[in-house]
Amino acid sequence: MAKKLFNRLSDAVKKRTNGNPRIVEADEHGINPSEVSRSARHVVEVLVEGGYEAYIVGGSVRDLMLGLHPKDFDIATDARPEQVKNLFDRCRIVGRRFRLAHVYVGRDLIEVATFRGGHRSRSGRAHVSVTLGGRILRDNAYGTIDRDALRRDFTANSLFYDPTRNTVLDFVGGVEDLKQRRLRMIGKPAVRFREDPVRLLRAVRFAAKLNFRMDPAMEQLIPELANLLDAISPARLFDEGIKLLHSGAAERTFELLRDKGLLHQLFPRTEAALERDHPEDLEFIRLALANTDERVRSGMPVSPAFAYAVLMWPYVRQLLDELEPGEFSPRDALAICADRALEHQARTISIPFRHAQMIREIWIRQPQLEAGPRSHPERVMSRSAFRAAYDFLGLRALRAERLQGAYQAWTRAQEKYETGPSDAPRRRRRRRRRR
Ligand code: ATP
Ligand code: MG
């Protein structure tokens, strides 16, 4: 049954493509040209004047069509990286696995990628190495625009915008899917997930961020294939984790990840701790992620350490519960549990050292902050992790009345400290030594 569906889907994709795109005009795609980065437009124009094809592609076209503000603008072209470099003064070729050109225009960086063939090379030559399970290890064949469209993950991510003509080229039915707010894989989901299991996480991220309905055949596969993520390096999962948590829809993403068995893949100990059925743990994560979403949406800074500290907290709490009461001081107990939690987490996601240090600091400062400001609170407040630890306490306090007094006391202490030290001795400027 499922198989038939996939075949039908992929036939539909083939029929629609055949190398001939649907050309979508302004009245239909609705892109507001003033939302298009001038730098990206400039790069396209220079490439076109140089005799090449060039388009704005990927997430930026999707976001423009949805009336969202794109994060960055990527360009795809038939020019090779060296040919791109010849056209621009400020251009660098980067990447080992797949070479790209980075073009600098004013203060903007525009990524220019040459069309890639994907593994469906017409000549049948193996430009791509694949594992027995179908995972793509290397994918470095140049291709044509229609091949490039097909190697992308979702139809919504595979639209090509030509700013010189103000048209969108659609090889995969992406425009219709965008209108229907539908997230659909290009090709057979089972194959595409096996090629690159990170697409499982990308599916959830885009569904949550764009508030799209996943194509049912694809959605149904995600829990079945979740364990393919075992093969993904912990370093790549760290990067993907940040994208999931800082998308501006982290709360919804978290629910979807849990629902699809992906939280278990990324944060197995958190998933197990949540199954203990302590509703306050789940509540804490939801509130904290809602808060992160708020910050992202209003352009405030967010830190990976904070989001990771939030997601791993239920496991830390579980470990604390398992310690013999009274055996360690609260701070020591937290230090022990923090190290254990970080050690376990490192098996699936490798958190760079400086972030891990910060996460640990956020946790082990909690007992000190819970006790409220004592003498010389400015010493505590001047620590680098203070602000994050204080925010963390604030989120915990939202559902724990006993913490509210301490949190408010720290809020007052900071206000006093910020306005206070005008009469404190200023750091003397060091005089330049004479030679
Ligand atoms: P965001 O707005 O989060 O940056 P994006 O769609 O731009 O979303 P990127 O990760 O920046 O996502 O990738 C740019 C484009 O490259 C995507 O739109 C997609 O077409 C293609 N792409 C990226 N990762 C993959 C992947 N794992 N498999 C297939 N295509 C991919
Ligand atoms: Mg992008």
Side-chain angles (χ1 to χ4, degrees):
M1 162 71 192
K3 198 160 179 196
K4 258 193 206 153
L5 244 174
F6 298 150
N7 292 340
R8 254 189 20 230
L9 260 173
S10 77
D11 285 343
V13 169
K14 271 182 221 142
K15 246 179 254 153
R16 222 170 296 152
T17 56
N18 266 338
N20 291 323
R22 188 157 93 77
I23 297 169
V24 182
E25 305 288 341
D27 56 343
E28 192 179 352
H29 65 62
I31 290 177
N32 175 359
S34 70
E35 276 289 313
V36 179
S37 137
R38 287 170 64 179
S39 306
R41 183 188 296 276
H42 169 75
V43 173
V44 169
E45 283 166 0
V46 171
L47 283 162
V48 169
E49 276 161 29
Y52 301 105
E53 264 185 276
Y55 303 89
I56 295 172
V57 287
S60 43
V61 183
R62 176 198 70 214
D63 291 349
L64 284 169
M65 283 188 56
L66 292 171
L68 306 170
H69 195 67
K71 272 199 319 230
D72 43 38
F73 285 80
D74 296 328
I75 288 176
T77 178
D78 61 349
R80 299 290 162 104
E82 308 72 39
Q83 296 171 319
V84 176
K85 196 170 157 66
N86 283 337
L87 290 175
F88 296 94
D89 294 336
R90 293 165 65 212
C91 174
R92 250 181 352 153
I93 296 181
V94 300
R96 265 187 310 140
R97 212 168 69 121
F98 194 82
R99 292 160 68 240
L100 303 166
H102 277 176
V103 178
Y104 296 86
V105 184
R107 291 162 65 194
D108 296 337
L109 162 66
I110 307 289
E111 211 172 85
V112 182
T114 305
F115 295 143
R116 276 152 79 172
H119 56 301
R120 279 160 267 210
S121 148
R122 262 176 218 165
S123 63
R125 270 184 49 206
H127 290 290
V128 173
S129 42
V130 178
T131 63
L132 280 179
R135 188 157 60 90
I136 293 185
L137 296 177
R138 238 176 315 111
D139 170 11
N140 47 12
Y142 294 126
T144 49
I145 183 171
D146 54 320
R147 298 272 142 194
D148 190 80
L150 291 179
R151 62 106 189 153
R152 294 174 185 273
D153 46 8
F154 304 104
T155 59
N157 285 348
S158 185
L159 296 169
F160 295 70
Y161 177 60
D162 177 348
T164 67
R165 295 193 175 88
N166 196 17
T167 53
V168 167
L169 304 192
D170 180 5
F171 293 85
V172 294
V175 169
E176 192 54 32
D177 286 335
L178 269 181
K179 281 190 204 157
Q180 307 287 336
R181 305 189 76 84
R182 189 164 57 199
L183 192 71
R184 198 160 55 82
M185 186 75 95
I186 297 170
K188 298 181 184 176
V191 174
R192 305 303 311 278
F193 281 140
R194 284 206 172 80
E195 281 174 6
D196 180 5
V198 165
R199 289 172 187 152
L200 294 158
L201 300 175
R202 291 175 60 86
V204 164
R205 173 155 68 91
F206 294 124
K209 177 177 141 174
L210 307 170
N211 209 357
F212 274 23
R213 202 164 28 82
M214 285 192 241
D215 161 50
M218 174 178 93
E219 182 170 14
Q220 197 187 316
L221 267 177
I222 296 178
E224 282 170 42
L225 300 181
N227 63 6
L228 291 176
L229 285 169
D230 289 344
I232 302 302
S233 81
R236 188 164 175 215
L237 290 184
F238 175 75
D239 293 340
E240 287 300 322
I242 295 177
K243 291 188 194 167
L244 289 163
L245 294 168
H246 290 171
S247 68
E251 194 189 358
R252 200 158 51 220
T253 302
F254 169 78
E255 301 296 345
L256 262 181
L257 286 176
R258 255 203 110 189
D259 185 49
K260 303 285 172 236
L262 295 170
L263 190 73
H264 169 75
Q265 284 296 132
L266 297 177
F267 296 94
R269 299 284 167 161
T270 298
E271 178 63 64
L274 289 174
E275 278 159 18
R276 290 198 307 164
D277 205 24
H278 287 198
E280 67 273 25
D281 282 338
L282 191 56
E283 184 81 344
F284 167 73
I285 291 186
R286 287 194 179 128
L287 287 168
L289 295 182
N291 180 267
T292 302
D293 289 342
E294 197 54 48
R295 292 179 68 104
V296 170
R297 287 193 208 128
S298 55
M300 285 161 79
V302 284
S303 84
F306 194 84
Y308 275 97
V310 163
L311 272 180
M312 292 154 71
W313 182 240
Y315 180 47
V316 175
R317 286 200 353 116
Q318 180 187 349
L319 289 170
L320 284 170
D321 288 347
E322 286 166 9
L323 285 184
E324 211 54 57
E327 195 179 348
F328 300 99
S329 72
R331 192 192 155 95
D332 287 349
L334 260 168
I336 293 167
C337 297
D339 289 339
R340 211 178 287 168
L342 285 165
E343 189 191 308
H344 272 297
Q345 189 58 56
R347 295 177 195 174
T348 47
I349 298 183
S350 85
I351 300 174
F353 182 72
R354 70 195 163 95
H355 292 309
Q357 283 297 93
M358 184 71 171
I359 294 169
R360 194 173 181 279
E361 283 281 303
I362 290 172
W363 290 336
I364 66 176
R365 298 223 157 261
Q366 293 304 306
Q368 184 180 34
L369 297 194
E370 279 171 35
R374 301 266 169 88
S375 56
H376 300 299
E378 66 280 4
R379 280 188 205 153
V380 177
M381 292 190 295
S382 63
R383 293 288 179 87
S384 62
F386 170 77
R387 188 66 210 197
Y390 158 82
D391 287 342
F392 199 85
L393 179 73
L395 288 167
R396 292 175 59 217
L398 285 176
R399 282 293 178 274
E401 236 168 78
R402 66 179 181 90
L403 301 176
Q404 282 165 11
Y407 177 68
Q408 283 154 10
W410 282 111
T411 309
R412 285 192 299 273
Q414 285 176 91
E415 283 161 6
K416 205 163 119 199
Y417 187 64
E418 271 154 28
T419 51
S422 52
D423 53 356
R426 252 197 249 137
R427 261 182 74 197
R428 242 188 283 149
R429 231 199 274 150
R430 217 188 282 156
R431 243 190 257 149
R432 204 181 287 165
R433 210 185 287 156
R434 258 194 241 147
R435 292 223 139 197

